[in-house]
Amino acid sequence: MSAIFEGDAIQKSHCHTSLNNYSPQELALEIKAFISGVDQTQGRKLNVRDHARCAVRLLRTVPACRGAVLEHLRGVYDEYVAFFLQDLEAEGENGGTSTSGVGSTSVSNLEDVIKEVHAVLSEFIKLSPKAWAPLVSTWAVDLLGQLSSKHAGRRAAPHSSSLNELLQLWMSCAATRSLMECYSQCLAAMLAWCPDACVDALLDTSVQHSPHFDWVVAHIGSAFPGTIISRVLACGLKDFYAHGYSSAEKVNQQQAIEKSCRVPKIGSVVGILGHLASRHSDSIKKELLRMFQDSLSPPPPQNVPPHSSGAGGWENSPHLRRATVPFLLQLAALSPTLLGAVSAELVEFLRPPVLVQLQAQFQALPREEVENMLGLAVHLISQSPSGGARVLKFLADTATPSSVIISGPTPSPHDSIREACDRLLQMLLLHLHKLVYNRPESDESFPQSSAASAMPQVIPFLDELQGHISDLCAETLRLERKRHLWLHQLLCLLSVYGGPSVATEALCQLFTQARNPEELALASQLYTPLSTSLSGLLPSTVARCVAQIHTQTLDNKELAQLLNNLAIAVQSQENGGATTGSSAQSSMAAQVRVAVSSHLQDFCPLLLHGDNMVSKAAVRLLSCSQLPRACSPAHLLMICRSAVSHFFVCLRLVGEEEVSYSMRLLSRLAAYSPLALKAVLQQLVEGALHKGNRDLFGGVQEKPGDDTTQSPNLVPDLGISLLDVNCKFGTSVNFSGNVWSVFHAGVIGKGLKPPYTPSQPDPDRINQNMQTLFAVMVQCCSSGGGSPSGNARNDSAVGTSNGGFPASEPLISDQLPPINAEAAKVIAVTLVENICPDVANGELSWPPEEHSKTTVERDIHIRRCFESNPVLFHLLRVVAAGRPALCYCSVILRGLLSTLLAHWESSREPAVSDSPWHLETSCLLVSCMGEGQLLPPVLSNIHEVFPHLSPFEVRLLLLGVWEYMRGNSPMPQKFTFCADQGLFFRDFSRDGDVARYIAPIHSVLHKNIDRLGHLCWRFQV
């Protein structure tokens, strides 16, 4: 009251001139007229306008009447608002046209009074703010609340949720606009010395008239954001403490909403800050964080003034400082907007010194209150819409036991903090577990239930973490003590909550980032609980991995790691499943194997990847994966082509492990179907004969053509201009009538090209490559092209060695299954197509020896192919083992034998050892024809005597072979299948007497009986 009387004195001094205009009798009449509502001089009743003017005159002249005058003016403002809304409703009914009814007349009559009242109050506030500002601010804000609530149901008034429309409506009304301006003027005047009274009035009115009063809060907050935010928080803190701080700490997250009923102003604080958050979220965030910091910092000295923001001086009160953290928790629990504003940045302030201060502050609290606050904190974390990854990292880093061993009995100074974070993290995981697994199902069992009850519960914390799956998986794979267990449990909850998409992403990241079997085991541990609730998870995971490959989001190291991990997962069904006895791991391996088999066409291009690690991992994966039951021919041929190409790359890289994987893959492909067998064998033969692979098998590399330019660093630059040389050369020689056609040899400016010197291959490496090639071809030919036991036979064969077949011994041994005749036929036809592409497959019969004169060019070409590709002899032996496939190589055998006959006929050397290549070729040719049963045993043994004969005698014996082949053409129909042995055999007794073909042999034996007598028994019919 002292402030009011002081204001009266000041007001009397300011209104001295006004008092002189009215005598005491006139003032008495004015007071009586105001009280009775009747004009004392004329005796008539005052209308609203005149009565309001009388009140304004008393407000100017008699300060003691200001309470009654302001109370009377409430009705004036109310009547103006009623007429204003009535006019708006009338305009709406008449299509927006203005009417000249009673309402509009009353509004125009009272508008002058409203302006006069506003001018008087503004003048008083300006002249004496301490006397008038508290009174007018309380009156104005209370009247605004009453008007907003009273007229909220009018048709012209928008719904309270439409804040912008509501603000536009009331600010277009002169009465409410006048009240708003008066309150803003009072607030501006009171900021320097007493802002709490003004803000308290705003909070009280907001509690009483919310939500219809929200537009006032929004407007005032926008005009004074810093002041309103700080003062609202300070007043809310004081009210929170005054209404029972201890009881407030005992509420949990379910009771947080009920708390607003027992603490009136905290709900209003939440509403005001919620309205301001749309435009002033940064200011709110800074103020909330400042309150948190100030509550933990040491209190200022008594002689230091309060904070510059004028926050009410709560920093000087130890009780309010202790209540700040619970108050902020309560605010966050009531407002998700405020929680989202501070949750991300709050973690940055939680440094070790701050944590120590928090611990010291909470140590004085009872255990029950601390438990309740931890429960509320867990609830807030789970409902935090942003910053979840930061909060999780902070909790995991703080709760993880220190890896440094501290000597001595003194514990770490932060052990209690670590234990508290450990407890908080465990409670958070338990709370999330309950939220995730207690959610309502999407398919409602009871149709009478509401749709809202069937909606899954939203967990903002997990929603935010869905964008950090990769980081969570990386942290989990670090395998750090308890940390990876917490994160692995969180990944499981996140996968169940997010559904198949999140679970697929998590498993895909684990497969991609795992670096060893221990880390890869986390994928199996994650899949085990998810498999019970999510179906088709592993096929989706493999599809996601394939999508990563297509989009090229992985580098070479990550790609190789992913392929190796998939291969380990597939192989665990064969190796790990039996040893560990884990049915879940075996089930996962089986499903991964099936899923990978459906994407083989996506993995096979990686066989030809430029990085060796990637190609090795790809062939490892494909070699242990099963082929799909139904595969399109295009995909199958692409897989075969890539596998064969990778096989030759492996031979060049000399990687035994990679070669074994490639051999196993080719064997599986050959056993899949006849089409795959044919494709594999064709490409193996073509690849072995390709000029780029000749050096792998001891072949002769082609000499570079004349147009091949040399590298600049091979020969020095002589600085010679070929143009200048030829110009001089042209002037000295007469080329009249002709175009120049004589030039100096060599590359321009480089001189003559250096002579070509082929590289010398390593014999051991060549031998090993040949053994490997024939081993895989024998395995493919033995698989049968789709037989049920093909894969099993291949797997056992691959496990022996890289080839295991020495070049000096037969390629087919008794331990291996017989060569498939159809497979051998594929090799034979491929050899003919590559060596003699112009020859039809029907040329099986042998013409007379003189007919070879017409095929000299073709025969020479065949001989050159054998000279440049030593591997051809061994390919023929593989064909010979699959009788009767060698019949289809008749044109090759005929051409090679023709060139040998011509050579031995023209040879003038005393011994056959002077022509080593022709001698070896003659022996191999006859031996191969005998092994393929194109020759009877008596003729197939003649190669044993070749090294002891003269060139003419060798020709004589080979001519006998030609005659036999001419008389007994190599036809597949002459072979009979033996079911007991699974092979084709030829009965030479049906071909007639063989004695007439061995007469030259006996003659040569008799002539050289001294040297060949011990071999005569080999040539008896």
Side-chain angles (χ1 to χ4, degrees):
M1 293 299 295
S2 60
I4 295 178
F5 289 119
E6 180 184 358
D8 292 343
I10 298 175
Q11 183 62 29
K12 290 177 183 179
S13 63
H14 284 295
C15 299
H16 182 69
T17 57
S18 299
L19 290 174
N20 292 334
N21 296 330
Y22 294 93
S23 63
Q25 293 79 10
E26 291 175 339
L27 289 178
L29 293 177
E30 289 288 342
I31 294 174
K32 290 179 181 181
F34 173 72
I35 295 174
S36 61
V38 178
D39 190 350
Q40 298 299 316
T41 57
Q42 299 180 3
R44 63 178 179 84
K45 186 177 180 179
L46 297 176
N47 57 24
V48 177
R49 185 171 183 273
D50 294 337
H51 201 171
R53 288 189 176 277
C54 179
V56 172
R57 287 193 295 270
L58 288 178
L59 186 62
R60 286 180 177 272
T61 56
V62 186
C65 298
R66 59 184 177 181
V69 171
L70 292 177
E71 188 65 25
H72 173 75
L73 291 178
R74 287 176 181 266
V76 177
Y77 276 79
D78 183 27
E79 189 170 355
Y80 180 89
V81 171
F83 288 140
F84 174 77
L85 294 177
Q86 183 179 354
D87 285 348
L88 291 180
E89 293 170 357
E91 290 181 6
E93 293 177 356
N94 293 283
T97 59
S98 177
T99 60
S100 58
V102 179
S104 59
T105 305
S106 302
V107 168
S108 60
N109 291 335
L110 293 178
E111 189 168 357
D112 296 338
V113 178
I114 296 298
K115 292 181 179 179
E116 188 175 353
V117 172
H118 178 71
V120 172
L121 292 179
S122 298
E123 183 182 0
F124 288 168
I125 295 170
K126 182 178 181 181
L127 295 176
S128 182
K130 290 187 178 181
W132 284 94
L135 178 64
V136 175
S137 65
T138 304
W139 171 80
V141 76
D142 185 58
L143 182 55
L144 282 172
Q146 291 180 0
L147 295 176
S148 300
S149 298
K150 179 178 179 181
H151 300 283
R154 298 290 293 267
R155 286 180 298 168
H159 192 268
S160 58
S161 60
S162 304
L163 192 61
N164 291 330
E165 297 179 7
L166 201 62
L167 183 61
Q168 184 178 2
L169 169 70
W170 290 120
M171 292 304 291
S172 64
C173 177
T176 51
R177 184 172 65 250
S178 172
L179 294 174
M180 184 67 75
E181 293 176 358
C182 288
Y183 180 79
S184 300
Q185 187 178 1
C186 294
L187 181 59
M190 296 171 64
L191 286 179
W193 48 276
C194 186
D196 285 351
C198 196
V199 175
D200 281 339
L202 183 66
L203 293 179
D204 293 338
T205 309
S206 178
V207 171
Q208 185 178 359
H209 298 286
S210 182
H212 311 298
F213 188 71
D214 292 345
W215 69 274
V216 179
V217 177
H219 182 76
I220 296 298
S222 300
F224 306 92
T227 302
I228 290 296
I229 292 171
S230 60
R231 298 320 312 167
V232 162
L233 287 173
C235 293
L237 175 60
K238 293 177 182 178
D239 190 78
F240 175 79
Y241 179 77
H243 280 76
Y245 158 59
S246 59
S247 62
E249 289 179 339
K250 297 178 183 178
V251 295
N252 53 22
Q253 58 268 29
Q254 286 78 19
Q255 298 170 335
I257 305 302
E258 301 174 1
K259 179 64 183 175
S260 60
C261 300
R262 293 187 287 111
V263 183
K265 290 186 180 180
I266 193 169
S268 181
V269 170
V270 170
I272 293 174
L273 296 180
H275 290 309
L276 297 178
S278 60
R279 294 186 179 181
H280 306 283
S281 58
D282 292 339
S283 300
I284 295 175
K285 178 173 61 179
K286 291 178 181 178
E287 188 61 28
L288 291 173
L289 295 176
R290 188 193 67 80
M291 286 189 68
F292 175 76
Q293 287 181 295
D294 290 348
S295 67
L296 298 178
S297 60
Q302 297 296 329
N303 55 354
V304 177
H307 196 271
S308 60
S309 63
W314 62 268
E315 300 92 341
N316 298 324
S317 174
H319 302 290
L320 293 178
R321 293 166 64 88
R322 283 195 297 269
T324 301
V325 174
F327 170 69
L328 294 178
L329 291 176
Q330 193 71 21
L331 280 180
L334 293 172
S335 174
T337 304
L338 299 181
L339 175 61
V342 299
S343 58
E345 283 74 11
L346 181 61
V347 181
E348 303 297 332
F349 292 96
L350 296 179
R351 302 300 180 187
V354 178
L355 294 177
V356 172
Q357 293 173 358
L358 272 177
Q359 180 194 14
Q361 190 177 96
F362 291 157
Q363 279 180 346
L365 298 178
R367 181 179 180 83
E368 183 180 359
E369 296 181 7
V370 174
E371 292 294 330
N372 291 332
M373 292 188 64
L374 286 177
L376 182 58
V378 166
H379 171 73
L380 293 178
I381 293 174
S382 65
Q383 298 301 317
S384 176
S386 61
R390 292 186 185 179
V391 174
L392 178 63
K393 187 177 186 304
F394 163 74
L395 291 176
D397 291 342
T398 310
T400 302
S402 177
S403 59
V404 180
I405 300 177
I406 301 177
S407 60
T410 305
S412 173
H414 301 298
D415 281 347
S416 57
I417 298 176
R418 187 176 296 113
E419 293 175 1
C421 286
D422 189 347
R423 179 91 180 282
L424 184 62
L425 193 53
Q426 295 285 0
M427 293 176 63
L428 175 62
L429 292 175
L430 179 60
H431 181 66
L432 292 175
H433 188 277
K434 293 179 181 178
L435 292 178
V436 169
Y437 285 97
N438 292 340
R439 293 186 303 162
E441 299 294 337
S442 58
D443 50 345
E444 186 62 52
S445 302
F446 303 98
Q448 65 270 20
S449 301
S450 62
S453 62
M455 292 296 293
Q457 183 180 359
V458 176
I459 307 176
F461 178 74
L462 295 182
D463 286 334
E464 201 266 341
L465 285 183
Q466 290 182 13
H468 302 274
I469 295 294
S470 178
D471 298 333
L472 284 177
C473 292
E475 290 294 324
T476 305
L477 292 173
R478 292 171 61 183
L479 301 179
E480 293 183 354
R481 290 194 176 183
K482 296 181 180 180
R483 185 190 188 96
H484 81 280
L485 299 177
W486 297 327
L487 297 179
H488 192 271
Q489 185 178 355
L490 182 62
L491 272 179
C492 183
L493 294 175
L494 193 59
S495 301
V496 175
Y497 173 77
S501 60
V502 177
T504 299
E505 175 66 17
L507 282 175
C508 180
Q509 291 297 331
L510 290 178
F511 276 119
T512 304
Q513 300 184 26
R515 297 178 295 273
N516 50 59
E518 291 78 12
E519 295 181 359
L520 186 59
L522 294 178
S524 176
Q525 297 171 12
L526 178 63
Y527 169 74
T528 301
L530 295 179
S531 60
T532 59
S533 57
L534 299 175
S535 61
L537 187 56
L538 287 177
S540 301
T541 301
V542 175
R544 174 105 185 177
C545 296
V546 171
Q548 283 187 335
I549 296 175
H550 287 319
T551 55
Q552 299 181 354
T553 56
L554 305 176
D555 57 24
N556 293 339
K557 184 178 180 181
E558 293 174 341
L559 180 56
Q561 198 165 265
L562 170 62
L563 298 175
N564 280 321
N565 289 335
L566 289 175
I568 293 174
V570 172
Q571 290 174 337
S572 63
Q573 184 184 13
E574 304 172 359
N575 305 328
T579 57
T580 60
S582 173
S583 59
Q585 185 177 6
S586 178
S587 174
M588 175 180 171
Q591 294 191 42
V592 172
R593 189 173 189 179
V594 173
V596 169
S597 67
S598 62
H599 293 279
L600 290 185
Q601 67 275 9
D602 299 303
F603 290 110
C604 69
L606 299 177
L607 293 172
L608 305 179
H609 197 276
D611 189 90
N612 294 335
M613 294 190 304
V614 176
S615 60
K616 181 178 179 180
V619 72
R620 178 185 180 185
L621 174 62
L622 295 178
S623 65
C624 61
S625 301
Q626 66 180 12
L627 294 171
R629 294 184 178 180
C631 185
S632 65
H635 289 165
L636 187 61
L637 293 177
M638 180 179 64
I639 296 173
C640 295
R641 183 165 54 251
S642 301
V644 172
S645 300
H646 178 264
F647 171 75
F648 290 106
V649 173
C650 294
L651 293 182
R652 191 170 298 278
L653 296 177
V654 198
E656 294 185 3
E657 184 181 10
E658 194 170 356
V659 169
S660 65
Y661 291 145
S662 184
M663 292 174 63
R664 183 176 183 181
L665 174 60
L666 290 175
S667 301
R668 286 180 177 271
L669 289 172
Y672 179 71
S673 67
L675 175 63
L677 174 63
K678 181 179 180 181
V680 169
L681 292 177
Q682 280 183 344
Q683 293 171 28
L684 279 174
V685 173
E686 293 174 358
L689 300 180
H690 191 270
K691 61 181 181 181
N693 296 327
R694 286 180 184 174
D695 58 320
L696 294 176
F697 309 103
V700 179
Q701 295 182 355
E702 293 184 357
K703 181 178 179 181
D706 295 337
D707 56 344
T708 304
T709 59
Q710 297 294 322
S711 176
N713 55 359
L714 295 180
V715 291
D717 187 359
L718 303 179
I720 300 174
S721 173
L722 188 61
L723 178 62
D724 296 340
V725 172
N726 282 281
C727 287
K728 296 178 182 179
F729 183 70
T731 58
S732 61
V733 182
N734 185 13
F735 291 99
S736 59
N738 294 324
V739 179
W740 289 2
S741 59
V742 179
F743 293 92
H744 292 282
V747 181
I748 297 176
K750 303 300 180 182
L752 295 176
K753 288 182 287 187
Y756 171 71
T757 55
S759 59
Q760 298 297 328
D762 183 9
D764 295 335
R765 181 178 176 184
I766 292 174
N767 188 25
Q768 181 181 6
N769 291 340
M770 282 194 176
Q771 292 176 5
T772 304
L773 175 64
F774 300 135
V776 69
M777 293 192 72
V778 168
Q779 292 168 18
C780 293
C781 293
S782 303
S783 63
S787 61
S789 59
N791 285 344
R793 292 201 303 263
N794 293 335
D795 294 344
S796 62
V798 171
T800 56
S801 64
N802 283 351
F805 300 103
S808 60
E809 297 182 3
L811 296 176
I812 308 302
S813 62
D814 296 336
Q815 289 78 13
L816 291 174
I819 298 295
N820 189 340
E822 291 298 324
K825 178 182 177 181
V826 171
I827 299 177
V829 172
T830 305
L831 285 174
V832 173
E833 290 177 352
N834 283 271
I835 297 176
C836 304
D838 57 334
V839 175
N841 293 331
E843 295 188 15
L844 301 183
S845 60
W846 286 51
E849 193 268 339
E850 296 79 8
H851 181 73
S852 61
K853 296 179 181 179
T854 62
T855 59
V856 172
E857 184 177 359
R858 185 179 69 187
D859 297 341
I860 293 176
H861 173 71
I862 293 174
R863 189 200 68 189
R864 288 176 178 175
C865 289
F866 276 84
E867 288 177 346
S868 59
N869 295 284
V871 72
L872 282 175
F873 294 108
H874 304 283
L875 291 175
L876 284 178
R877 301 190 68 177
V878 175
V879 175
R883 298 186 291 265
L886 194 60
C887 298
Y888 299 98
C889 291
S890 178
V891 63
I892 297 177
L893 301 176
R894 189 167 66 242
L896 186 60
L897 183 57
S898 175
T899 57
L900 292 175
L901 289 172
H903 171 77
W904 293 124
E905 182 181 10
S906 61
S907 177
R908 297 296 180 264
E909 302 294 341
V912 293
S913 58
D914 296 328
S915 301
W917 185 87
H918 295 84
L919 174 61
E920 183 182 8
T921 302
S922 301
C923 295
L924 290 174
L925 177 62
V926 174
S927 173
C928 182
M929 295 175 68
E931 189 172 358
Q933 293 191 351
L934 299 186
L935 299 175
V938 66
L939 284 179
S940 62
N941 295 331
I942 62 174
H943 68 280
E944 299 178 7
V945 302
F946 283 171
H948 309 285
L949 304 178
S950 65
F952 174 76
E953 294 171 334
V954 171
R955 179 187 180 278
L956 187 64
L957 297 184
L958 290 178
L959 190 60
V961 172
W962 183 288
E963 292 298 328
Y964 179 85
M965 295 296 296
R966 175 184 163 220
N968 302 275
S969 299
M971 297 294 177
Q973 294 81 2
K974 296 182 179 182
F975 290 79
T976 305
F977 181 73
C978 179
D980 296 338
Q981 301 184 20
L983 294 175
F984 285 88
F985 292 94
R986 181 177 177 181
D987 186 4
F988 289 98
S989 61
R990 298 180 181 179
D991 296 338
D993 188 14
V994 189
R996 62 191 184 96
Y997 298 107
I998 63 175
I1001 300 177
H1002 291 164
S1003 176
V1004 171
L1005 289 175
H1006 291 162
K1007 181 180 178 182
N1008 301 282
I1009 192 66
D1010 57 334
R1011 290 180 293 125
L1012 303 178
H1014 63 287
L1015 296 177
C1016 290
W1017 65 276
R1018 299 279 286 167
F1019 303 98
Q1020 299 297 325
V1021 179

